Amino acid sequence: MESAAPFDIGLRVEFVRPVCLGLLHGNFARLDDIEGSGFRKAVTGASRSITDEQIARLLDEREWRGRLAAGWFVGLTRRTKFIPTIGRLLLASELVYAGQGYCAALGLIGNEECSCLLSAYLNDYLPLKGRVYNQDW
């Protein structure tokens, strides 16, 4: 996939950095009540304010942090227009950790198309030996 525009550091600073480590491996589940509340506000605010164009740019970059965050933003706001892109990226399994966001997006949206994509991923990916990243997701 070719990037349509140069990487936007502002996009990364505004939307990715504040939530990336909390999303990675579901780390948000281990936060105490106060930290968890702040994190939930940050991720919900980001997912509501990021535009479709900005999500598309994050998904277009060959970088896992932006793709992880974008996947969660898609799922949390149920942006079904991204299902084909998320499914293609998940099945390609190009970048470590990004698949966590794709799985979250498809699971949160949860329609029939998402179920089929998740099943295809599990059928193709889990039997492969030597690929330990994202297996639990």
Side-chain angles (χ1 to χ4, degrees):
M1 184 172 4
E2 300 258 341
S3 217
F7 188 74
D8 183 345
I9 193 70
L11 190 59
R12 180 185 193 89
V13 168
E14 184 176 357
F15 293 105
V16 179
R17 282 188 190 158
V19 299
C20 181
L21 292 179
L23 295 173
L24 182 64
H25 308 308
N27 287 331
F28 60 85
R30 297 185 225 8
L31 298 176
D32 65 30
D33 289 344
I34 293 171
E35 290 174 321
S37 176
F39 178 78
R40 284 189 299 278
K41 286 178 185 172
V43 78
T44 15
S47 65
R48 288 179 182 152
S49 64
I50 194 168
T51 66
D52 286 353
E53 178 183 271
Q54 290 169 318
I55 288 174
R57 289 202 56 198
L58 289 174
L59 291 173
D60 195 37
E61 291 296 329
R62 287 195 48 86
E63 190 275 327
W64 67 265
R65 290 166 192 86
R67 287 187 182 185
L68 169 72
W72 277 93
F73 298 152
V74 165
L76 289 169
T77 54
R78 308 256 188 321
R79 298 186 200 202
T80 57
K81 73 179 260 175
F82 286 103
I83 293 172
T85 301
I86 294 283
R88 182 174 32 79
L89 292 170
L90 177 64
L91 294 172
S93 194
E94 297 172 328
L95 299 170
V96 68
Y97 306 131
Q100 295 177 20
Y102 309 149
C103 289
L106 297 174
L108 286 166
I109 294 171
N111 65 19
E112 184 67 26
E113 184 179 8
C114 294
S115 296
C116 289
L117 288 166
L118 286 168
S119 292
Y121 173 69
L122 293 173
N123 289 333
D124 290 348
Y125 185 74
L126 286 180
L128 298 176
K129 302 296 180 210
R131 289 187 173 184
V132 295
Y133 64 88
N134 289 341
Q135 291 287 17
D136 52 344
W137 282 83

